Amino acid sequence: CQQKIILLRRTKVSYLCFVKNTQKGGYPSAGYSRPRSRPTEPEVNAEKMEPPSFHPCDEAVISTNDDASNCKRSAVKLGYWKDDYIAHFVRNPDRKAPEINRGYYARVKGIEMCIEKFFKKTGDKCQIVNLGCGFDTLYWRLREAGHMVTNFVELDFPNVTSRKCYQIKRNKVLLEKIHVEDGEVRLSPTDLHSTNYHIVGVDLRNIEEVALKLQQSEIDYSVPTIFLAECVLVYIEPQNCHNLLKWFAANFKTAAFVNYEQVNMNDRFGEVMLNNLRQRGCSLAGVDSCVSLDAQISRFLQCNWHGARAWDMVQIYHSIPASERARTERIEMLDEAELLVQLFQHYCISIAWIGDLFQDVEITVEKQLSSLNID
């Protein structure tokens, strides 16, 4: 493992390439809104669905959950952010390279900032649907912060949800947070249902199965809903991904989608990242939507979302308050700041929306950049 990290540093590519991801003014976001026309009846069937059978790459994709979880645990252990729950899913992680820890901090913090902006619009009267949830602990962290959303639904491959259900049911701390007075917790090998928390095993390429699992999770299509995806769509074949996004757009009255994913994958650095992932058996079926911020936006517009914006992680990092950035930059020294910049330039967060509620959500990027000297 140490040899791999050394090799990657020499080639200016961090081990982050291997994991599931990896003053006002400043940068404007890439963004677009289109005139809207909603069909009177929502679509319920996907067109030209590609076979949702188990793909040879699925096992490699599933394994990225372990990588990402270990990386998050490593950063948490060093104090990049507070998460008292990740240790229940990951016991003894290896210490990761500083670039990895900083990268995951920006990823987690960026998504949290988006959610906070949505909460200013909805309060707790919203639903969160976490696609490809892995061992993410967002539900428990929100509960600890005093948030009790209307419904929180997590979806992932059954192989992943079964392991997460097992850890939840055997851990009092996790169970106490999902148990509500006068409510019950129902468990199966791959699914768990409580009053406002649900985790279900599902293949996101199968729309009928997704619809059934959301129904079992008591989803309400009229309640403002926030979809989250961290390096998920990129693993789904384009037609299946479009079917999924179109189905969401057709059936949810008010929604926002927060997508963390690769970007600028058509340059040399992106090619190296792709090759590293392919060597692990991960074929990025949806990489065509990751060539630019505009491509990320177009994916949502083509699937009938009303508008979208996108920022690379350089911009996201500089939207974090300067005092908070300074705190994390003191935790450990970077061996090569340039490497972190390159990684940030090849990941992004995009936001898409249905309805008017979330259309003015914006990320403010500081014009004065930090000690990384990013141009």
Side-chain angles (χ1 to χ4, degrees):
C1 182
Q2 187 64 31
Q3 291 175 339
K4 285 184 180 180
I5 293 175
I6 293 172
L7 176 61
L8 289 171
R9 284 178 178 165
R10 287 174 180 169
T11 58
K12 300 291 186 181
V13 181
S14 165
Y15 186 71
L16 187 61
C17 300
F18 286 97
V19 297
K20 188 173 182 179
N21 56 355
T22 31
Q23 322 210 2
K24 299 181 181 179
Y27 300 97
S29 67
Y32 180 80
S33 295
R34 66 162 76 230
R36 300 189 302 277
S37 60
R38 171 172 295 280
T40 54
E41 293 296 330
E43 301 171 11
V44 292
N45 295 317
E47 299 176 0
K48 300 180 181 178
M49 171 68 71
E50 294 182 18
S53 57
F54 195 82
H55 191 278
C57 292
D58 289 353
E59 187 174 345
V61 173
I62 290 170
S63 71
T64 62
N65 167 61
D66 294 335
D67 295 330
S69 300
N70 273 279
C71 289
K72 289 180 178 179
R73 178 74 175 98
S74 171
V76 167
K77 196 171 182 179
L78 289 172
Y80 276 87
W81 71 92
K82 185 175 183 292
D83 185 345
D84 293 334
Y85 306 98
I86 187 68
H88 297 299
F89 298 103
V90 181
R91 297 296 183 184
N92 298 302
D94 296 328
R95 179 164 179 163
K96 305 301 180 183
E99 295 83 6
I100 299 176
N101 295 323
R102 191 83 63 86
Y104 269 89
Y105 164 75
R107 167 179 172 169
V108 171
K109 192 66 177 179
I111 293 172
E112 284 183 353
M113 289 191 302
C114 292
I115 294 172
E116 288 170 1
K117 290 179 181 293
F118 297 139
F119 278 171
K120 290 180 180 179
K121 300 279 189 178
T122 66
D124 288 350
K125 295 181 179 179
C126 67
Q127 300 173 132
I128 295 179
V129 178
N130 194 354
L131 305 172
C133 62
F135 292 162
D136 189 61
T137 60
L138 178 61
Y139 175 82
W140 290 273
R141 288 183 281 125
L142 289 177
R143 285 297 312 276
E144 186 176 20
H147 292 288
M148 186 73 166
V149 297
T150 302
N151 203 1
F152 194 110
V153 183
E154 299 197 297
L155 302 88
D156 209 324
F157 282 114
N159 308 55
V160 177
T161 62
S162 61
R163 294 169 59 197
K164 193 167 188 177
C165 286
Y166 176 76
Q167 293 298 334
I168 292 172
K169 72 180 182 182
R170 68 193 295 267
N171 192 290
K172 183 179 179 181
V173 174
L174 299 176
L175 271 176
E176 284 179 342
K177 290 292 184 183
I178 67 173
H179 183 265
V180 179
E181 188 177 355
D182 297 329
E184 63 175 357
V185 176
R186 293 173 285 120
L187 272 164
S188 74
T190 62
D191 298 1
L192 182 153
H193 299 280
S194 66
T195 302
N196 80 324
Y197 173 80
H198 309 264
I199 178 170
V200 292
V202 66
D203 187 337
L204 294 175
R205 296 165 296 192
N206 188 325
I207 301 297
E208 292 183 358
E209 187 180 6
V210 170
L212 176 61
K213 292 292 186 174
L214 290 178
Q215 180 184 23
Q216 293 172 354
S217 302
E218 301 177 346
I219 208 76
D220 186 337
Y221 295 97
S222 65
V223 173
T225 301
I226 304 166
F227 294 94
L228 306 175
E230 297 182 39
C231 292
V232 175
L233 303 184
V234 69
Y235 293 114
I236 304 177
E237 299 78 7
Q239 188 59 60
N240 287 329
C241 180
H242 286 188
N243 288 336
L244 182 67
L245 293 177
K246 285 180 179 179
W247 191 86
F248 289 152
N251 286 280
F252 286 84
K253 181 180 179 181
T254 302
F257 200 113
V258 181
N259 185 44
Y260 173 87
E261 204 165 54
Q262 293 90 344
V263 74
N264 297 324
M265 297 299 283
N266 56 348
D267 64 9
R268 177 56 185 156
F269 192 87
E271 289 176 7
V272 174
M273 290 173 63
L274 281 171
N275 289 334
N276 288 332
L277 286 162
R278 285 167 179 158
Q279 288 174 11
R280 293 192 59 196
C282 294
S283 175
L284 301 187
V287 73
D288 286 348
S289 295
C290 300
V291 297
S292 67
L293 294 178
D294 286 339
Q296 288 281 352
I297 291 168
S298 294
R299 173 203 273 159
F300 287 99
L301 299 181
Q302 291 169 6
C303 295
N304 304 325
W305 287 70
H306 296 164
R309 296 188 180 95
W311 307 264
D312 67 28
M313 292 307 294
V314 174
Q315 297 169 289
I316 295 295
Y317 186 72
H318 289 291
S319 70
I320 299 171
S323 59
E324 176 63 11
R325 292 200 310 269
R327 180 191 67 81
T328 60
E329 289 170 2
R330 288 193 297 267
I331 293 176
E332 53 185 347
M333 296 293 293
L334 292 176
D335 293 331
E336 290 187 81
E338 181 186 353
L339 174 56
L340 180 63
V341 175
Q342 287 180 302
L343 287 166
F344 279 171
Q345 290 170 338
H346 287 81
Y347 285 89
C348 70
I349 288 179
S350 53
I351 296 175
W353 60 88
I354 294 293
D356 298 329
L357 185 61
F358 299 120
Q359 66 179 351
D360 61 346
V361 171
E362 184 61 89
I363 300 294
T364 303
V365 183
E366 287 189 4
K367 189 173 183 178
Q368 180 65 42
L369 303 183
S370 77
S371 58
L372 287 180
N373 298 317
I374 303 173
D375 294 325

